Amino acid sequence: MREIEQIPQLPAPTEKHWQRYLVDSLMAVGGVVVVTVIIYAYHLYPTIPNISIVYLLVILLLATTRGRYAALVAAVVAFLAFDFFLVPPLFTFVISRWEEWIALFIFLATALITSQLTTQTRQSVEQARLREREARILYEAGRVINSTNRLDEQLDSIALALVRVFSSWGVRECALLLPDKNGILSIQADAPIRIESFTLSPEEMEAAREVMVRGKIMEISETPPASQPVSARSESMLRLIPLKAENEVLGLLCLRIEHGIAWFASKERMQEELEQPTDQAIFFWTFLDQAIRVIEQARLRARTISNNE
């Protein structure tokens, strides 16, 4: 268990809620107001013709720390504030000289371009850090899984690692189902570790057998029991994912998901992105490839032993 805890987790996806937009808007307006008051109080314009560049510092700071939305709001508000409070005639959006029009629109264009470039740089850095984290996850997970040659221990490690790594995507439970010599599916590993084990209803087992035959992802919505308090209820789904090696289905991955991220919570999106995968999809299927290789190697060992006998 300690080795599993050493595997890094994926960062929780940040969703834009109205509270975040409100905070970004207040920070953008507040930063612009502070700069405008300083320039107006000390009569820095037109004494210093290029003083508007100070607004760019606010925009850069917001783009770096808060993102594109806050930077764009700051750029537009700075344009309007500079025109209204600092460009004569004051306290009006009317501009008497055409040179002032040109200067204002150059400032607006510069502010917008600056916010866009800074945001793109920030996103590139975040993507690089995420790719580095994903590479470390794959390495650590592979190290833990391959630390033993026993199939049952390897499957347990895979199940525990899946729940740990993808918990931020909404995964709460998982199980690995494999067919025996007679083709009967049974749960070989589940996670997380607790008193009650992962169970499937007869209808869910029938769906699992269908997935084994068809090799297509299937989804079953689960409703919380009526005995559970309303405040504690949360909708969940059971995702049945075939584990394929070439055109053969070796086993089945069952995931119970609550509040999954947009891509992960949609069976149709997962199926579509098998052909045109995104970065998220590539990482998920690469992680599953480790489970498929373990099962495939175990089958090859079993066949070799059977042939020798």
Side-chain angles (χ1 to χ4, degrees):
M1 188 63 182
R2 288 184 177 178
E3 291 184 339
I4 294 295
E5 292 176 351
Q6 292 177 0
I7 300 175
Q9 293 177 291
L10 286 173
T14 56
E15 296 182 359
K16 289 284 189 179
H17 298 291
W18 68 268
Q19 294 98 330
R20 182 174 175 83
Y21 283 115
L22 177 61
V23 172
D24 287 349
S25 300
L26 291 176
M27 291 183 68
V29 173
V32 170
V33 167
V34 170
V35 172
T36 303
V37 168
I38 292 173
I39 295 175
Y40 181 82
Y42 291 96
H43 306 288
L44 300 180
Y45 184 85
T47 306
I48 306 175
N50 296 327
I51 194 63
S52 60
I53 199 172
V54 177
Y55 288 109
L56 295 181
L57 299 177
V58 176
I59 295 168
L60 282 170
L61 180 62
L62 290 171
T64 304
T65 58
R66 303 296 298 181
R68 179 182 288 109
Y69 173 77
L72 291 177
V73 171
V76 174
V77 174
F79 169 80
L80 296 175
F82 194 79
D83 180 14
F84 190 81
F85 292 103
L86 301 173
V87 176
L90 302 181
F91 312 117
T92 177
F93 291 109
V94 176
I95 299 177
S96 58
R97 299 171 56 192
W98 63 270
E99 295 93 339
E100 297 288 356
W101 277 108
I102 295 175
L104 274 174
F105 278 103
I106 290 176
F107 164 74
L108 178 62
T110 304
L112 293 175
I113 293 171
T114 300
S115 64
Q116 181 69 15
L117 292 176
T118 306
T119 304
Q120 288 179 351
T121 302
R122 176 173 177 259
Q123 290 175 345
S124 297
V125 172
E126 290 177 350
Q127 286 295 318
R129 289 175 179 170
L130 180 58
R131 297 290 87 78
E132 181 183 359
R133 191 178 188 85
E134 290 174 350
R136 188 182 166 201
I137 289 172
L138 293 173
Y139 170 78
E140 292 292 341
R143 183 182 61 81
V144 173
I145 293 168
N146 295 316
S147 62
T148 177
N149 290 325
R150 293 183 54 183
L151 179 60
D152 57 341
E153 293 180 355
Q154 289 179 321
L155 295 179
D156 285 337
S157 296
I158 291 169
L160 290 168
L162 271 164
V163 172
R164 174 170 174 79
V165 172
F166 296 103
S167 60
S168 62
W169 288 14
V171 175
R172 296 295 172 261
E173 301 176 22
C174 85
L176 290 166
L177 280 69
L178 298 181
D180 60 14
K181 295 179 180 179
N182 299 319
I184 299 175
L185 275 177
S186 61
I187 296 176
Q188 300 295 316
D190 59 30
I193 298 174
R194 56 190 184 187
I195 297 176
E196 67 273 15
S197 59
F198 191 103
T199 57
L200 294 174
S201 67
E203 294 79 10
E204 291 170 340
M205 282 301 299
E206 182 61 32
R209 287 189 284 270
E210 184 179 347
V211 172
M212 281 291 295
V213 174
R214 297 177 57 192
K216 297 289 186 181
I217 298 173
M218 186 177 290
E219 181 177 286
I220 302 173
S221 297
E222 297 181 326
T223 55
S227 59
Q228 188 176 6
V230 176
S231 59
R233 292 184 188 181
S234 60
E235 294 184 0
S236 62
M237 65 184 75
L238 180 69
R239 181 75 47 76
L240 304 172
I241 303 173
L243 301 175
K244 294 182 180 179
E246 296 181 355
N247 294 324
E248 183 182 8
V249 180
L250 303 179
L252 200 66
L253 172 66
C254 298
L255 299 176
R256 280 203 170 98
I257 302 171
E258 294 178 3
H259 308 296
I261 63 173
W263 165 79
F264 198 61
S266 170
K267 177 193 70 174
E268 291 75 14
R269 287 279 301 277
M270 286 188 70
Q271 197 71 50
E272 290 172 1
E273 291 185 2
L274 283 171
E275 300 178 358
Q276 296 180 338
T278 60
D279 290 336
Q280 288 177 323
I282 290 172
F283 175 72
F284 178 74
W285 296 117
T286 302
F287 193 97
L288 284 196
D289 282 343
Q290 297 190 49
I292 294 171
R293 286 196 299 270
V294 166
I295 298 170
E296 195 171 19
Q297 289 169 4
R299 291 185 61 176
L300 289 173
R301 286 197 299 269
R303 287 176 184 173
T304 303
I305 293 171
S306 177
N307 292 334
N308 291 336
E309 294 177 352

